């Protein structure tokens, strides 16, 4: 498919960039991380050239690159690309978009993995505030973020706050009709 698209158009074409991103996703799912990264990197180059640096499609590829780095244990590079993703998403989508929430959570998870619990908590709390604004305080997504926050409090040994987070998450799950076996 990529060869056909390249034959039919200039190499620096958004269809080529989209196809490269799709190939990168397939390679990533197959565990071929180096090839996936090369595919994403070329897609990013084309999208930067044609769309600039503050476009949603650029953020998507940056996010994919960050995820590969995280999956391969390169937390420093993952953090760099997640932070760049966040910057682009905020510029392209606004500060309270669902994609921003997801990226904030991933940055929080990387900080948590690194043991940087104060930073992790900061990102999770920001994600929680946006989720509550977008979806209301009784959303299952809010409950999941409260679980992340509770996990950070657990790692910090902050029993009072972890119980508050877990209790609120549990209330949301139960209010939504979920039970202990779900």
């Amino acid at each position: 498919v990529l060869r056909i698209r390249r034959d039919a158009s200039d190499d620096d074409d958004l269809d080529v960039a989209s196809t490269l991103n799709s190939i990168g996703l397939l390679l990533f799912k197959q565990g071929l991380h180096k090839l996936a990264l090369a595919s994403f990197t070329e897609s990013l180059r084309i999208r930067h050239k044609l769309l600039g640096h503050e476009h949603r499609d650029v953020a998507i590829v940056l996010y994919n690159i960050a995820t590969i780095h995280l999956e391969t244990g390169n937390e420093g590079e993952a953090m760099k690309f997640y932070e760049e993703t966040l910057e682009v998403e905020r510029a392209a989508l606004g500060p309270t978009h669902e994609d921003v929430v997801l990226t904030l959570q991933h940055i929080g998870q990387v900080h948590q993995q690194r043991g940087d619990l104060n930073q992790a908590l900061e990102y999770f709390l920001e994600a929680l505030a946006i989720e509550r604004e977008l979806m209301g305080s009784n959303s299952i997504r809010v409950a999941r973020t409260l679980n992340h926050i509770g996990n950070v409090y657990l790692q910090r040994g902050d029993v009072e706050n972890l119980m508050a987070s877990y209790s609120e998450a549990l209330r949301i799950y139960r209010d939504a009709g979920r039970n202990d076996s779900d």
Side-chain angles (χ1 to χ4, degrees):
V1 172
L2 181 59
R3 182 171 291 146
I4 293 168
R5 284 193 177 180
R6 281 195 169 169
D7 290 344
S9 66
D10 187 322
D11 278 356
D12 289 344
D13 179 275
L14 289 177
D15 287 334
V16 171
S18 178
T19 301
L20 285 164
N21 188 64
S22 296
I23 290 169
L25 290 170
L26 176 65
L27 293 168
F28 177 76
K29 287 180 181 179
Q30 293 177 335
L32 301 170
H33 297 123
K34 286 184 181 182
L35 292 173
L37 184 59
S39 189
F40 289 141
T41 301
E42 181 63 9
S43 176
L44 180 63
R45 183 194 66 75
I46 294 168
R47 288 178 182 195
H48 271 154
K49 179 180 176 184
L50 298 177
L51 301 172
H53 291 275
E54 294 184 350
H55 193 279
R56 181 182 194 165
D57 289 348
V58 169
I60 290 168
V61 179
L62 289 167
Y63 182 88
N64 291 340
I65 291 170
T67 302
I68 283 183
H69 285 299
L70 186 60
E71 181 75 17
T72 58
N74 191 345
E75 293 172 351
E77 282 297 298
M79 183 66 75
K80 177 180 126 186
F81 281 97
Y82 281 134
E83 288 174 347
E84 189 175 349
T85 301
L86 183 61
E87 184 179 318
V88 173
E89 286 172 343
R90 284 179 169 157
L93 305 171
T96 60
H97 191 275
E98 288 182 41
D99 290 355
V100 170
V101 170
L102 187 61
T103 302
L104 286 167
Q105 290 172 336
H106 275 89
I107 292 171
Q109 289 171 346
V110 174
H111 280 299
Q112 187 175 6
Q113 286 176 6
R114 295 171 130 185
D116 193 358
L117 302 179
N118 290 334
Q119 284 291 316
L121 187 58
E122 183 180 313
Y123 282 95
F124 287 135
L125 288 171
E126 186 177 349
L128 178 65
I130 296 169
E131 283 180 324
R132 283 184 167 148
E133 179 183 326
L134 291 175
M135 296 166 232
S137 291
N138 293 317
S139 165
I140 295 296
R141 288 185 56 182
V142 167
R144 288 184 187 129
T145 301
L146 285 164
N147 276 328
H148 288 302
I149 291 168
N151 291 338
V152 172
Y153 286 132
L154 177 64
Q155 283 181 273
R156 287 174 46 171
D158 185 342
V159 175
E160 184 178 335
N161 283 316
L162 82 83
M163 285 304 295
S165 294
Y166 287 156
S167 294
E168 187 177 353
L170 183 59
R171 179 197 55 78
I172 293 168
Y173 287 132
R174 286 187 172 154
D175 287 353
R178 297 222 175 155
N179 60 41
D180 296 340
S181 64
D182 285 345

